Amino acid sequence: QKEVEQDPGPLSVPEGAIVSLNCTYSNSAFQYFMWYRQYSRKGPELLMYTYSSGNKEDGRFTAQVDKSSKYISLFIRDSQPSDSATYLCAMTTGTASKLTFGTGTRLQVTL
Amino acid sequence: DAGITQSPRHKVTETGTPVTLRCHQTENHRYMYWYRQDPGHGLRLIHYSYGVKDTDKGEVSDGYSVSRSKTEDFLLTLESATSSQTSVYFCAISDGARLGTDTQYFGPGTRLTVL
């Protein structure tokens, strides 16, 4: 079993929809959680960064962490075609500079 | 791409040949990483460096070696390429100021095909 599980999709939604992307993990030592966005044939770029449990909002994006359930989510409101990309969750214990990534979910926002 | 370049961007090679990929940064960051990305596996850490001449293994290091003789350059070498090493390789950097929690910035990737 992988340490981090993420549904690969693809997930197709109409423009303006609310998107929910999720990851589950098994290592209770993970303390820091990130979401990266990766456009086709590009490197990943950091989108959101959260520590421990709770919510963090940045514009149309909200990251949510539930450590008791070992479950993290990324919500995208008012989705746009420019949001079409692969979204990767990543996490770390904070004791070493190593990230563990999910496999990524491919999102397509249609007009 | 946060001052990170990778070369070459594309390479096709034959089984058994040596291959070296280069990552160059202009950010003076302490940490540098090599990942490979494959369908169904996501990003997996191959090796990383925490300073000049200081390197350590990652999750999938077999068949790969690395060297870092200067802060700005991190080389990944496949001593004898195999078809299982066909992948997209990404370099990443972080400043290490907040060990374990600092942001990693990724390069544009190198697409390697081993025939």
Side-chain angles (χ1 to χ4, degrees):
Chain A
Q1 184 187 3
K2 293 178 182 176
E3 271 192 301
V4 180
E5 298 279 357
Q6 186 175 8
D7 188 328
L11 179 62
S12 183
V13 301
E15 183 179 8
I18 297 174
V19 176
S20 172
L21 303 167
N22 312 293
C23 288
T24 59
Y25 62 95
S26 57
N27 186 350
S28 57
F30 287 139
Q31 298 281 349
Y32 301 87
F33 305 91
M34 299 126 200
W35 285 95
Y36 281 81
R37 179 175 61 195
Q38 185 177 21
Y39 290 114
S40 180
R41 296 186 176 265
K42 300 285 187 183
E45 56 179 342
L46 183 67
L47 194 59
M48 297 284 286
Y49 182 113
T50 54
Y51 167 66
S52 196
S53 287
N55 291 1
K56 183 175 181 179
E57 190 173 317
D58 184 0
R60 296 185 296 110
F61 299 90
T62 299
Q64 193 172 76
V65 174
D66 182 350
K67 290 191 69 183
S68 63
S69 301
K70 298 190 181 67
Y71 188 88
I72 68 170
S73 300
L74 177 71
F75 298 96
I76 307 174
R77 291 184 298 280
D78 187 25
S79 56
Q80 303 294 311
S82 59
D83 295 327
S84 298
T86 296
Y87 291 80
L88 303 114
C89 63
M91 45 200 80
T92 177
T93 61
T95 57
S97 282
K98 295 184 186 180
L99 295 178
T100 301
F101 284 86
T103 53
T105 299
R106 188 158 64 91
L107 171 67
Q108 184 169 4
V109 181
T110 57
L111 292 170
Chain B
D1 291 321
I4 310 169
T5 56
Q6 292 184 231
S7 58
R9 293 293 313 279
H10 302 270
K11 186 169 182 67
V12 179
T13 191
E14 294 190 349
T15 298
T17 60
V19 176
T20 295
L21 308 182
R22 179 180 183 240
C23 177
H24 179 78
Q25 60 144 330
T26 58
E27 306 295 324
N28 200 35
H29 279 4
R30 180 183 171 193
Y31 282 77
M32 299 185 75
Y33 310 80
W34 276 109
Y35 291 89
R36 59 178 290 174
Q37 187 174 36
D38 305 287
H41 292 279
L43 282 159
R44 292 181 291 174
L45 183 65
I46 304 171
H47 282 279
Y48 69 103
S49 168
Y50 46 96
V52 172
K53 294 189 178 4
D54 293 322
T55 65
D56 204 352
K57 295 179 180 180
E59 179 187 356
V60 290
S61 59
D62 287 348
Y64 302 94
S65 63
V66 290
S67 66
R68 192 169 178 200
S69 58
K70 297 185 290 184
T71 298
E72 58 267 33
D73 289 326
F74 192 32
L75 304 180
L76 176 71
T77 298
L78 291 66
E79 301 290 347
S80 178
T82 68
S83 58
S84 64
Q85 293 175 313
T86 292
S87 187
V88 181
Y89 291 86
F90 287 99
C91 175
I93 64 173
S94 65
D95 63 14
R98 297 172 297 154
L99 183 63
T101 65
D102 46 285
T103 301
Q104 290 189 20
Y105 300 94
F106 284 81
T110 293
R111 192 168 293 268
L112 177 66
T113 302
V114 184
L115 301 175

